[in-house]
Amino acid sequence: IVESYGYTLYSEPVHFNPIEPELREFQNRLDLAGFRVASTFLDSPAFGGNSWLADSTLATGVRIENEAAYQLLHESDVKPIAQFFNELGYRTVVAMPATTYAWPEGEFYRFERKYYYKDFDYAGPNLQRAPMNDHHGLDFVHRNEVLGADGPLFVQYVMISSHYPFNLIPRYFEDWSRIADGSIYHREDSVEVLPIKPGNQTAGAEGYVAAMAYELKLLREYLWSFVEGDALAIIVGDHQPYSGITGKNKSRSVPLHVISRRAD
């Protein structure tokens, strides 16, 4: 689940034109690795924020559009998607690096192993709305859960490096073994800081595109380097970025990509 990955990245020239080369490279690398992709758009229940509404909708198949519905969901007997996988013998894992506080509601979603901020052994800098970067998050869970797994896995990564205000862009390190505990991100050249102009709340289109380019490159390299066999990968946005990026009265749509080497 990719934070703020919205329809605007494809629909608005100010976003699409600079990101198009990254999207084409993503497609080319997947082709070379033998992957096939089916893509569409989903109508998110959230816009510009309230990611938990979109996340809970994806986790349960019940459209959650407001806080009242969100609270009622946790009191219901709805069977979340992780429980279906549990019953089929999968190990179910959720990675939520932005969850920095106690969250008892998380028990409702039935993941066998939950990684919240304190569970990532992160020693890097706090990046404001994204308390750690997604490279560390992906690498940590892959090392601790995917490598050496002796049975099927259902892993849900919640990616946060593309969070508002889109002004802190982590550097991508080609050598994943250098990520370790994330302390490498204390280096002066490890995080690009984009300006937020006076009167603005974000780094604007430039920041948004840079944040999405980082996430797309990270996902591309993860799929290319670490996803083997006939695994199924699904990439989906949680909601459109806020209206200062998209403009007023825009669609709630988010991209969805279903990816596998099994074309069927």
Side-chain angles (χ1 to χ4, degrees):
I1 304 175
V2 183
E3 171 68 31
S4 300
Y5 183 31
Y7 179 69
T8 189
L9 199 66
Y10 296 83
S11 64
E12 300 297 326
V14 68
H15 300 146
F16 181 74
N17 290 344
I19 202 71
E20 184 179 12
E22 184 66 39
L23 293 167
R24 292 195 180 280
E25 178 63 13
F26 201 131
Q27 181 68 64
N28 292 338
R29 291 290 290 279
L30 290 184
D31 287 345
L32 288 172
F35 288 107
R36 294 296 176 264
V37 186
S39 298
T40 189
F41 292 96
L42 296 180
D43 181 35
S44 174
F47 184 97
N50 297 339
S51 301
W52 53 91
L53 303 181
D55 293 355
S56 59
T57 295
L58 288 168
T60 62
V62 178
R63 189 172 179 85
I64 304 299
E65 294 189 310
N66 53 55
E67 284 295 323
Y70 183 68
Q71 296 301 323
L72 287 172
L73 175 68
H74 295 149
E75 300 168 8
S76 75
D77 59 0
V78 168
K79 184 176 176 180
I81 189 171
Q83 184 58 22
F84 286 91
F85 282 95
N86 290 332
E87 293 171 4
L88 289 168
Y90 282 68
R91 177 169 170 79
T92 54
V93 178
V94 65
M96 301 178 66
T99 302
T100 59
Y101 49 84
W103 190 48
E105 295 92 338
E107 298 300 320
F108 173 83
Y109 298 98
R110 313 280 181 86
F111 285 94
E112 181 180 350
R113 180 65 167 98
K114 296 173 283 293
Y115 288 90
Y116 300 150
Y117 177 79
K118 64 180 177 60
D119 301 307
F120 284 88
D121 299 335
Y122 181 64
N126 187 305
L127 300 179
Q128 297 179 5
R129 301 296 181 95
M132 73 180 68
N133 63 80
D134 286 329
H135 203 165
H136 175 79
L138 280 175
D139 179 64
F140 185 87
V141 174
H142 185 82
R143 285 189 282 110
N144 285 274
E145 292 291 344
V146 182
L147 288 179
D150 57 5
L153 291 170
F154 171 65
V155 184
Q156 178 177 292
Y157 295 99
V158 180
M159 302 182 68
I160 58 172
S161 289
S162 48
H163 202 290
Y164 168 104
F166 318 114
N167 68 316
L168 299 177
I169 312 300
R171 173 182 170 184
Y172 175 77
F173 288 95
E174 298 289 343
D175 183 357
W176 286 54
S177 68
R178 299 178 66 190
I179 302 304
D181 64 358
S183 57
I184 193 172
Y185 286 95
H186 285 293
R187 285 176 35 169
E188 289 185 3
D189 65 345
S190 67
V191 179
E192 181 182 8
V193 181
L194 298 177
I196 297 178
K197 296 178 181 178
N200 292 344
Q201 297 183 45
T202 73
E206 179 185 0
Y208 178 66
V209 170
M212 294 313 313
Y214 171 78
E215 297 286 48
L216 289 169
K217 183 172 185 177
L218 184 59
L219 286 165
R220 180 190 80 207
E221 295 304 316
Y222 182 66
L223 290 165
W224 171 267
S225 301
F226 301 111
V227 176
E228 301 175 344
D230 63 354
L232 180 69
I234 298 173
I235 299 171
V236 60
D238 56 358
H239 55 69
Q240 288 255 62
Y242 100 117
S243 59
I245 297 292
T246 60
K248 300 290 187 181
N249 302 315
K250 296 294 184 176
S251 164
R252 289 175 171 246
S253 290
V254 294
L256 169 72
H257 313 291
V258 181
I259 302 166
S260 178
R261 290 186 176 89
R262 288 174 52 179
D264 58 335

